[in-house]
């Protein structure tokens, strides 16, 4: 299993300052300073006043929907991607409109469709960078076109960057973060769930950027909204500097396992295999294309009932056609290999 530095993590919550309640709508200065340091180590320089803490990335979305949209307005969301967007939008009375990513050996935004599905009441577009589950990064050329698209349609750009600490290899063409982009109104989201592998501690953040009156108005209104909730606990805010200092120790172990599992999986999918493994640039997941002999749901049930193996169906992430399974690369390697062997054997039997 992942060896967490348990004593250091627990000691971070023994700070006597956590017994005092001095709320700040943006989050404690010490916590936001730690986030500035987190980005600086990546070569990204952000203004500490542009950081707003939230209890999770999911909560961050709801805060931004409140900020940017009225009930009945719409937001553009990518498919395939994170399956909660539609539900988070619905809770705020907002309509989610899907725009596709197409695959041609790599994943790309379909700008032709994107431009046609954007409505007059669309207020923002979401990107997931790197994407979950495709593991694909936004490319520099796409960002240029995306910024112009947002300018033309007066849209804010929301970037979910929770998997940015888990690239599988280097690529100068990829966009690692939009936290420094200020040509348009932008919101960069991240948090402890993935950055430190600590989802139970419930702390995320938003980095807002932009310029002019629109940016200042959005900044002030976001501060008003976060002041209404003050949802992040004092103990985790005081612990954040230590937790982010420890994060690389955890990230290194997670990434080592993910890369090992992906490398092993690639070796199992031989050229003559009826399955195909899609390339992955980052993150914790891999997509397997499998024969469409039975539906994804029927295959999942076969694997669960007969082999005690759990995988995600492609439709869970809005992959547009049948015949895809999503597997977790963070699973312990011995369990992962056993499960994949069962999966491939089951598919072989079904195709005979």
């Amino acid at each position: 299993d992942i060896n967490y530095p348990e004593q250091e993590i627990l000691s971070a919550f023994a700070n006597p300052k956590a017994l005092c309640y001095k709320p700040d709508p943006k989050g404690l200065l010490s916590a936001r300073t730690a986030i500035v340091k987190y980005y600086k180590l990546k070569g990204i320089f952000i203004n500490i006043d542009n950081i707003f803490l939230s209890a999770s990335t999911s909560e961050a979305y709801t805060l931004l929907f409140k900020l940017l949209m009225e009930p009945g307005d719409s937001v553009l969301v990518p498919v395939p991607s994170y399956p909660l967007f539609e539900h988070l939008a619905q809770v705020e009375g907002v309509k989610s409109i899907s725009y596709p990513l197409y695959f041609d050996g790599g994943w790309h935004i379909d700008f032709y469709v994107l431009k046609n599905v954007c409505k007059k009441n669309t207020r923002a577009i979401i990107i997931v960078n790197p994407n979950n589950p495709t593991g694909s990064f936004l490319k520099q050329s796409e960002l240029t076109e995306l910024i112009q698209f947002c300018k033309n349609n007066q849209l804010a750009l929301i970037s979910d960057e929770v998997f940015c600490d888990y690239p599988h290899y280097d690529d100068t063409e990829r966009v690692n973060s939009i936290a420094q982009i200020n040509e348009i109104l932008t919101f960069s989201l991240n948090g402890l769930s993935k950055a430190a592998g600590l989802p139970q501690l419930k702390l995320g953040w938003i980095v807002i950027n932009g310029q002019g009156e629109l940016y200042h108005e959005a900044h002030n209104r976001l501060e008003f909204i976060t002041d209404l909730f003050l949802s992040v606990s004092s103990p985790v805010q005081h612990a954040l500097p230590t937790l982010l200092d420890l994060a690389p120790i955890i990230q290194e172990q997670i990434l080592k396992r993910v890369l090992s599992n992906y490398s092993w999986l690639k070796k199992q999918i031989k050229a003559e295999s009826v399955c195909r493994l899609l390339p992955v640039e980052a993150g914790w997941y891999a997509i397997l294309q499998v024969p469409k002999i039975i539906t994804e749901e029927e295959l999942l049930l076969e694997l669960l009932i007969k082999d005690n193996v759990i995988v995600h169906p492609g439709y869970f992430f809005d992959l547009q056609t049948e015949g895809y399974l999503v597997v977790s690369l963070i699973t312990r390697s011995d369990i992962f290999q056993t499960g994949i062997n069962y999966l491939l054997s089951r598919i072989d039997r079904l195709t005979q």
Side-chain angles (χ1 to χ4, degrees):
D1 287 337
I2 305 299
N3 294 314
Y4 284 82
E6 295 179 1
Q7 289 306 312
E8 292 92 333
I9 291 172
L10 293 173
S11 295
F13 285 90
N15 189 337
K17 292 180 180 179
L19 297 175
C20 299
Y21 185 51
K22 295 182 178 180
D24 185 317
K26 293 181 178 179
L28 295 179
L29 183 62
S30 60
R32 290 184 287 125
T33 300
I35 294 171
V36 169
K37 178 183 175 183
Y38 165 84
Y39 281 102
K40 187 176 181 180
L41 291 172
K42 298 174 180 291
I44 299 170
F45 300 93
I46 59 174
N47 186 332
I48 194 169
D49 290 329
N50 287 357
I51 299 170
F52 291 81
L53 300 191
S54 63
S56 65
T57 308
S58 294
E59 186 193 50
Y61 279 114
T62 66
L63 296 174
L64 295 181
F65 292 161
K66 294 178 194 296
L67 170 68
L68 299 170
M69 300 161 206
E70 299 288 346
D73 285 344
S74 61
V75 58
L76 295 164
V77 301
V79 292
S81 192
Y82 186 54
L84 283 186
F85 288 140
E86 181 180 357
H87 304 293
L88 291 171
Q90 283 179 341
V91 168
E92 299 301 324
V94 172
K95 178 178 175 58
S96 60
I97 300 175
S98 300
Y99 69 90
L101 307 180
Y102 69 89
F103 181 76
D104 62 357
W107 293 92
H108 311 280
I109 296 174
D110 189 329
F111 280 99
Y112 176 80
V113 175
L114 178 62
K115 292 170 183 176
N116 280 282
V117 297
C118 185
K119 307 295 183 184
K120 289 183 178 180
N121 68 349
T122 301
R123 304 296 177 225
I125 177 171
I126 294 172
I127 58 172
V128 183
N129 186 48
N131 185 277
N132 172 24
T134 69
S136 54
F137 273 100
L138 186 74
K139 303 304 183 290
Q140 296 290 344
S141 58
E142 290 180 300
L143 177 59
T144 299
E145 190 167 355
L146 200 53
I147 288 172
Q148 189 59 52
F149 172 74
C150 289
K151 287 180 178 179
N152 293 344
N153 293 279
Q154 298 181 302
L155 304 181
L157 177 59
I158 302 171
S159 180
D160 185 328
E161 299 172 353
V162 298
F163 282 106
C164 70
D165 291 302
Y166 301 95
H168 291 201
Y169 55 88
D170 294 329
D171 181 358
T172 57
E173 292 302 311
R174 71 173 50 134
V175 176
N176 294 307
S177 174
I178 68 160
Q180 292 186 122
I181 299 297
N182 66 357
E183 298 172 58
I184 55 173
L185 186 61
T186 62
F187 302 89
S188 175
L189 279 53
N190 207 332
L192 284 180
S193 176
K194 307 300 186 299
L198 293 167
Q200 70 274 31
L201 297 186
K202 306 305 294 178
L203 186 146
W205 61 81
I206 302 165
V207 179
I208 181 175
N209 216 330
Q211 54 188 311
E213 183 179 346
L214 179 64
Y215 157 74
H216 291 293
E217 183 178 0
H219 188 284
N220 292 338
R221 289 188 177 189
L222 183 56
E223 185 170 357
F224 176 80
I225 293 170
T226 53
D227 195 26
L228 293 175
F229 296 96
L230 299 172
S231 57
V232 187
S233 74
S234 295
V236 74
Q237 291 190 65
H238 282 293
L240 186 62
T242 299
L243 299 176
L244 287 180
D245 283 344
L246 296 171
I249 299 171
I250 301 165
Q251 292 170 10
E252 182 181 2
Q253 295 179 74
I254 292 174
L255 187 56
K256 181 179 179 181
R257 178 184 292 182
V258 165
L259 293 176
S260 175
N261 282 341
Y262 185 69
S263 176
W264 180 87
L265 180 56
K266 283 178 69 175
K267 293 175 183 176
Q268 310 315 303
I269 310 298
K270 300 178 173 60
E272 66 274 13
S273 174
V274 295
C275 300
R276 180 170 67 139
L277 177 63
L278 273 57
V280 177
E281 293 182 68
W284 299 354
Y285 295 97
I287 300 176
L288 273 175
Q289 188 174 18
V290 298
K292 301 178 187 178
I293 299 170
I294 56 178
T295 67
E296 289 174 356
E297 188 157 341
E298 289 169 335
L299 178 54
L300 258 64
L301 291 174
E302 286 251 342
L303 290 166
L304 178 61
I305 295 169
K306 297 181 179 179
D307 301 312
N308 201 31
V309 171
I310 298 176
V311 294
H312 296 301
Y315 68 75
F316 186 73
F317 296 91
D318 289 322
L319 280 149
Q320 296 300 288
T321 61
E322 281 277 338
Y324 292 96
L325 301 178
V326 178
V327 299
S328 172
L329 297 172
I330 200 174
T331 307
R332 204 175 73 194
S333 294
D334 57 333
I335 297 173
F336 179 79
Q337 292 179 16
T338 299
I340 292 296
N341 284 332
Y342 275 123
L343 186 157
L344 296 176
S345 295
R346 176 63 52 191
I347 291 174
D348 283 343
R349 285 194 290 271
L350 289 170
T351 54
Q352 288 174 359

